[in-house]
Amino acid sequence: MQETQTSSAAPQRIKSRGLEGVVALDTEVSKIDGQKGLLIYRGYDIDDLASNTRFEEVAYLLWKGQLPNQQQLDELNAQLRAERALPPFVLDLLRQAPEDANPMAVLQTAVASLALFDSEADDMSPEANYRKSVRLTARIPTIIAAYDRLRKGQEPVAPLDRGSTAFNFVYMLNGEEPGEQAERVFDAALVLHAEHGLNASTFTARVIGSTLSDMYSAIAGAIGALKGPLHGGANIEVMKMLLEIDSSGADAAQYVKEKLDRKEKIMGFGHRVYKTFDPRARILRETSEDLAEERGQRKWYDLSVQIMDTVKAEKNLDPNVDFFSASVYYMLGIDTDLYTPIFALARITGWTAHLLEQWEDNRLIRPSADYVGKMDLTVTPIKQR
Ligand SMILES: CC(C)(COP(=O)(O)OP(=O)(O)OC[C@H]1O[C@@H](n2cnc3c(N)ncnc32)[C@H](O)[C@@H]1OP(=O)(O)O)[C@@H](O)C(=O)NCCC(=O)NCCS
């Protein structure tokens, strides 16, 4: 869709509820083919990346447009290691946060507060914005893990001066180094969640970025958008559903049908762009089955498949990324309400890549609305109202 605004002509009007089908900008960061079920990060298929790269390589790819060589990857890993610790104020803030707070609200507050202690927060040079992308990617896992421990009455565990993002996050969460399998599965989940086009949170980040506001403001806004159950919050709702079916002993198919009869949505299904199987769900389905076998917890996978088959039969809808990630995180022993913060831990790379791209050639993002309210009213003096 070409924008046709000039100084003399009125802009072309494109009206679409929820902006469906509206192309707001060009991007080189990722491509989704919703008909074929393809997801491409900067030219590379998600299957290839999930099998053959680590999360840090994908972060570099998203930011820089090419996969790193060994030296570039070593440099990035060193930068991430150097940036993982939190400013004392932010750690104190996490100590003060109520133990029953929503972890996404805590993450959003903590990320916004990081700006106070970053002397580069308002430096809009590409170099400073790249450094902030790395800094945020390093610190978000530390925030999530520290808050999770504090709310359980445990002291935060300092990051190690070695190991990957996945390794460090699981280590900081549990105080124990993860096994090779847990690290690998978690790392692959981060790769799958790293980037996904102009979804609601990325769009939010770009809208805020387009005002030339700073990266922390844009990311705090994106976290707020991701929190919603129609976006990243769906993975929590999926696990709640699995647990409810399991604890009540309900028949999964019957449970789903009754929900649909009540016109309720089944979380983890449907997508604005994919009209076929989400490729990330396909990969996570395999991971969920492997983990279920290895950990002797088949019931979570079997239950998920029963739900999936029923939703397909009843509504012809396929699962999205949130559906099988729920059982995967559960079998890795991660608390349910951390699933969406973990989504943010991965997506920070995509959000920041989009912001770097936005600022390369910025134009304020500002759509319009049709006014359908009253007209021609006149003000009655307040005493007569
Ligand atoms: C992702 C989502 C918000 C996309 O929404 P959308 O493009 O605006 O599509 P709509 O919500 O308008 O849905 C279109 C139709 O499919 C149905 N539908 C979509 N997702 C559904 C779901 N998860 N369960 C049941 N029905 C669903 C709607 O009820 C609607 O049916 P109708 O035309 O008979 O009213 C939507 O599919 C959804 O709410 N899914 C559940 C939440 C989720 O998993 N989010 C994570 C996305 S990665």
Side-chain angles (χ1 to χ4, degrees):
M1 239 169 268
Q2 275 313 84
E3 189 189 2
T4 56
Q5 184 167 13
T6 65
S7 53
S8 56
Q12 184 186 338
R13 300 187 79 261
I14 305 151
K15 188 167 173 180
S16 168
R17 216 166 152 253
L19 298 183
E20 183 164 10
V22 173
V23 179
L25 46 88
D26 290 338
T27 182
E28 293 181 13
V29 182
S30 69
K31 174 183 168 67
I32 304 166
D33 186 327
Q35 301 301 326
K36 293 190 187 142
L38 288 178
L39 172 59
I40 310 286
Y41 295 174
R42 295 220 183 251
Y44 295 93
D45 191 280
I46 193 66
D47 285 300
D48 194 7
L49 292 170
S51 311
N52 298 311
T53 61
R54 306 292 301 258
F55 175 61
E56 291 76 10
E57 290 172 82
V58 167
Y60 189 98
L61 171 70
L62 293 172
W63 291 327
K64 301 275 193 182
Q66 58 188 38
L67 283 167
N69 60 29
Q70 191 60 53
Q71 189 198 336
Q72 290 162 331
L73 182 62
D74 291 346
E75 271 170 29
L76 173 59
N77 279 323
Q79 287 158 356
L80 288 166
R81 279 199 295 277
E83 297 280 7
R84 283 205 174 101
L86 300 178
F89 174 93
V90 179
L91 210 48
D92 267 2
L93 185 141
L94 298 175
R95 285 186 197 282
Q96 307 282 333
E99 62 193 36
D100 60 351
N102 184 316
M104 283 299 274
V106 174
L107 179 63
Q108 188 183 41
T109 310
V111 163
S113 77
L114 284 176
L116 309 180
F117 305 94
D118 188 339
S119 57
E120 296 191 306
D122 290 316
D123 181 340
M124 292 299 277
S125 66
E127 297 76 16
N129 279 327
Y130 174 70
R131 285 192 291 274
K132 280 176 274 181
S133 306
V134 175
R135 205 164 287 148
L136 276 158
T137 303
R139 291 184 177 174
I140 285 179
T142 318
I143 292 170
I144 300 168
Y147 175 65
D148 186 54
R149 290 186 69 85
L150 286 165
R151 69 179 176 166
K152 292 173 175 158
Q154 299 165 329
E155 269 305 293
V157 171
L160 289 174
D161 196 24
R162 61 187 164 81
S164 66
T165 302
F167 173 93
N168 258 285
F169 176 67
V170 181
Y171 169 72
M172 288 189 285
L173 206 55
N174 302 328
E176 282 171 27
E177 296 186 14
E180 196 264 327
Q181 184 214 31
E183 184 189 352
R184 181 175 42 77
V185 168
F186 196 74
D187 188 89
L190 298 187
V191 169
L192 295 176
H193 285 82
E195 162 56 14
H196 208 238
L198 210 55
N199 57 82
S201 56
T202 304
F203 186 56
T204 304
R206 286 191 80 136
V207 169
I208 296 174
S210 82
T211 71
L212 298 185
S213 183
D214 69 291
M215 191 173 264
Y216 290 101
S217 301
I219 298 305
I223 292 171
L226 187 72
K227 178 168 175 276
L230 294 190
H231 191 7
N235 52 17
I236 293 178
E237 300 305 318
V238 171
M239 199 60 227
K240 282 188 192 160
M241 174 171 66
L242 290 171
L243 290 166
E244 197 178 306
I245 297 174
D246 182 56
S247 65
S248 67
D251 174 72
Q254 194 58 30
Y255 176 97
V256 168
K257 284 181 196 162
E258 285 172 11
K259 239 174 150 32
L260 291 172
D261 285 347
R262 293 193 299 270
K263 303 276 173 234
E264 288 176 31
K265 280 187 170 172
I266 312 297
M267 292 295 144
F269 290 88
H271 201 274
R272 178 59 70 78
V273 183
Y274 291 116
K275 300 304 165 205
T276 179
F277 224 94
D278 180 334
R280 303 165 301 170
R282 188 168 27 76
I283 300 170
L284 283 164
R285 177 187 175 167
E286 287 168 21
T287 310
S288 175
E289 186 171 19
D290 290 349
L291 265 184
E293 278 299 332
E294 283 161 30
R295 307 214 161 189
Q297 297 192 44
R298 250 212 97 91
K299 74 173 172 187
W300 302 115
Y301 175 74
D302 291 342
L303 209 49
S304 301
V305 171
Q306 285 169 38
I307 295 171
M308 181 181 77
D309 290 345
T310 312
V311 176
K312 185 73 185 170
E314 297 290 318
K315 294 287 288 187
N316 195 25
L317 287 172
D318 292 303
N320 56 50
V321 69
D322 291 310
F323 188 63
F324 283 104
S325 62
S327 52
V328 167
Y329 294 150
Y330 190 81
M331 288 186 275
L332 288 178
I334 294 169
D335 283 3
T336 312
D337 64 356
L338 294 187
Y339 297 0
T340 317
I342 289 169
F343 196 150
L345 184 165
R347 186 56 59 84
I348 183 63
T349 53
W351 289 333
T352 46
H354 275 273
L355 284 167
L356 298 176
E357 185 178 67
Q358 179 69 32
W359 289 324
E360 272 172 22
D361 182 22
N362 188 60
R363 182 151 201 242
L364 180 72
I365 299 173
R366 203 291 189 199
S368 309
D370 276 343
Y371 177 69
V372 294
K374 295 174 184 169
M375 291 288 287
D376 302 326
L377 303 180
T378 53
V379 175
T380 311
I382 194 157
K383 285 188 180 155
Q384 294 164 32
R385 277 179 232 156

